[in-house]
Amino acid sequence: MGAVVGTLTMQTKQRQPARDKVDDELEMTMVCHRPEGLEQLEAQTNFSKQELQVLYRGFKNECPSGVVNEETFKHIYAQFFPHGDASTYAHYLFKAFDTTNNGSIKFEEFVMGLSTLLRGSVRDKLEWTFHLYDINRDGFISKEEMTDIVRAIYDMMGKYTYPALKGDVPKQHVDAFFQKMDKNKDGVVTMEEFVLACQEDETMMRSMQLFENVM
Amino acid sequence: MATGVAAWLPFARAAAIGWMPVANCPMPPAPREHSKKQDELIILNVSGRRFQTWRTTLDRYPDTLLGSTEKEFFYNEETKEYFFDRDPDAFRSVLNFYRTGKLHYPRYECISAYDEELAFFGIIPEIIGDCCYEEYKDRKRENAERLMDDQEENKDSRLPNMNFRETMWRAFENPHTSTMALVFYYVTGFFIAVSVITNVVETVPCGSTPNQKDVPCGERYTVAFFCMDTACVMIFTVEYLLRLFAAPSRYRFMRSVMSIIDVVAILPYYIGLVMTNNEDVSGAFVTLRVFRVFRIFKFSRHSQGLRILGYTLKSCASELGFLLFSLTMAIIIFATVMFYAEKGSSSSKFTSIPASFWYTIVTMTTLGYGDMVPKTIAGKIFGSICSLSGVLVIALPVPVIVSNFSRIYHQNQRADKRRAQKKARLARIRIAKKGSSNAYLQSKRNGLLNELLDLTSSEEEEQHMNKTSSLLESQHHHLLHCLEKTTAHEFVDEQLYEQNCVEGTQFSRSPSLSSQEGFTGTCCTRRSRKRIPLPNASLSTTHTHTHTQGLQELSAIHIQCGDQPSLSTSSRSSLNMKSSERSRINCRGQQITTAVISLPSPTNFPPDGDGHGLANPVSAPATINTTSSSNIVKVSAL
């Protein structure tokens, strides 16, 4: 009786590998990616050759296949924020870096994003941030989108904070934000409103300059 | 933060720009980056093999040797590289850890060597990757078991001053320790065998009485068997009581399996003695006799294989349990099926399901007695399926038990082999150790001879002596010499020490003189060195004088023995008291001597101070005593 059962299971197993082999081959062809030449990247971004080299070495170390997928990205970002849950914010970041929207970040996209953030003009930075907040890429930041973003940021803090998180703190934060940003009070923030409001805010301007010399 | 992703920190910081518009308060200032260095290549020279890596790679793990400033200690200025005098093969995995963030354990590497390398480079072994962690832990456990086995054997060789009880317990547990124990071991083994054989032979029918019934031997020769039984039980009782007396923890001993077996083996006899030949209880009494067969388990003290078997069964308890469970399931299923299949046939033996159990068991274990056989076709079909599946169900858990037994058995074999090899190893190690300590004493004598030769100025022989020891050795000997001077005692070899212990308060000059010429030589030649301006005459006198002190020269500080009170009154520190106490033990006779250490005020030693060799003058050298006591203080304060 045991033998009968055994042979039955054997039959079902044999049918699977054929399909799996095809899938494996497909995956193998997609995985490796090499970036364009160093000179081209140097021309397209504001980084020097050495900086690109250092960046690429770090990138390739973590992602030997040449692309970052979302899981790896979330994992890497979560290492920096061990207290809370950084996955949601990492997801939004991933979407912001993945300009081609194909679910993976190549080195070029990565470097372009970093170039904007670190070496770009103030306006470039603000535009990049607007794109980060505008989750559905419709050109407007709605209250729901902003709430999602702020909630994701608060998630990174984790549970143990001082003072303790009581009430719906993200919502209050979003209300304050909209108070500041939404000039015409139409419930959404456009790019121009955003840039204008930020440029008026002295503290924010100063904070933006903080990360000038990260590289 | 896992420093493995340190390379991505700039990215995380850049992405923080995304929080700026949301923030209400100003950001803290960024930490200053001191002198932006370009990333440079570091050369790590490990025993000649050069490894190169980026500095930032090593900086990823700052709490290890290579990641911290500790590596600066190994920096070689001329070659501009870091030199480590370690195994380059093991270093490969260490460096790969920095590169990939995962530590791997190479299988060809010895576990303790690898542990040492990790400890040297400041890496904790717990971060070994999952791929290699199991193997690492297994090897480590094996090693620990091996060390534990060795330690257990060391425990056997305990101090010579054990009391009678402990000696007896040790004799019981390990029969090879003394002849008495061995004799006892064999005697008990013999009696166990005798007892078991008598139990067996008792039931054999021997000869028939005229009423034509075969009588078992037990009933024919009742008295003989009874005597034999009594003798065996007496031996067993005595043995049990002795063990109980000798056991270090009686309660634990009484709970142990072996003691329960002992008790069960001898109890039926006593119960039989107590009980009368009553008809009612004789039935129970007969049952009790069955327990006498437990005496055969007493053999497990004598046979290691039995013990291993018992231990294996205990350790495979879960597998055995599973076997039992699956068998029970199968038996019930098949018994039910067979019962219903055979219900139709007439005169079938399968009267109920429990009755079918017997058939199922006999068939599944492929015994096939044939007392119950199915008659219907359906019954036969199911019967054959039953026997086939029986083979499978039983065959499955058995290899697990077998492999367990094999592992434990080999472990024991290894332990025995190691024990046999250990004696030879220890003997060789002891000889090597003795060699090195003897080397020191030998070189001391050579050195003294050197000094004597110095005085008699024969240079060539001195040089010859000096050549025989290397720089390392001479530095080591110098160190030991300093220790001697510090404690004001000297190293001696075993025989001399025992000699001195044995000789007690007796003061024998002649044998010790010849053997200790070297020692006496030290002090007097030292002193004679200081007194080179003195005429030779006094030199020789001091020399001979100190020679007469023989045994006393054992300790470089010579403390007066019979006159303790004066010393204590003149003492200035408790240190002094202690040294005098100590030397009292070394003191063999009542001798007055003076301190011999080279001290800043040699003029404190009037030459005639040495003259007080033998007798015990107390009053006269009182002043000398004080000075010597003060000198003693100085020396102890070293």
Side-chain angles (χ1 to χ4, degrees), chain B residues 307-351:
Chain B
R307 274 204 300 271
I308 295 176
L309 187 62
Y311 183 67
T312 311
L313 289 176
K314 197 166 62 155
S315 71
C316 301
S318 63
E319 277 84 28
L320 283 174
F322 168 68
L323 176 61
L324 214 59
F325 176 67
S326 58
L327 260 180
T328 316
M329 252 180 36
I331 288 172
I332 293 177
I333 292 176
F334 278 108
T336 316
V337 167
M338 289 307 297
F339 171 71
Y340 284 113
E342 285 287 302
K343 202 156 179 202
S345 92
S346 55
S347 75
S348 121
K349 291 228 172 105
F350 295 81
T351 49

Side-chain angles (χ1 to χ4, degrees), chain B residues 453-495:
Chain B
L453 293 169
D454 255 349
L455 304 171
T456 59
S457 64
S458 59
E459 301 277 323
E460 311 95 40
E461 288 176 45
E462 184 187 325
Q463 276 172 3
H464 171 72
M465 291 293 181
N466 278 342
K467 267 196 209 127
T468 52
S469 64
S470 67
L471 177 64
L472 206 62
E473 235 183 276
S474 50
Q475 284 173 346
H476 183 217
H477 294 330
H478 174 254
L479 185 65
L480 291 172
H481 205 156
C482 293
L483 182 61
E484 284 185 334
K485 291 284 178 237
T486 314
T487 57
H489 290 71
E490 285 186 359
F491 294 110
V492 291
D493 57 13
E494 270 183 61
Q495 302 139 326

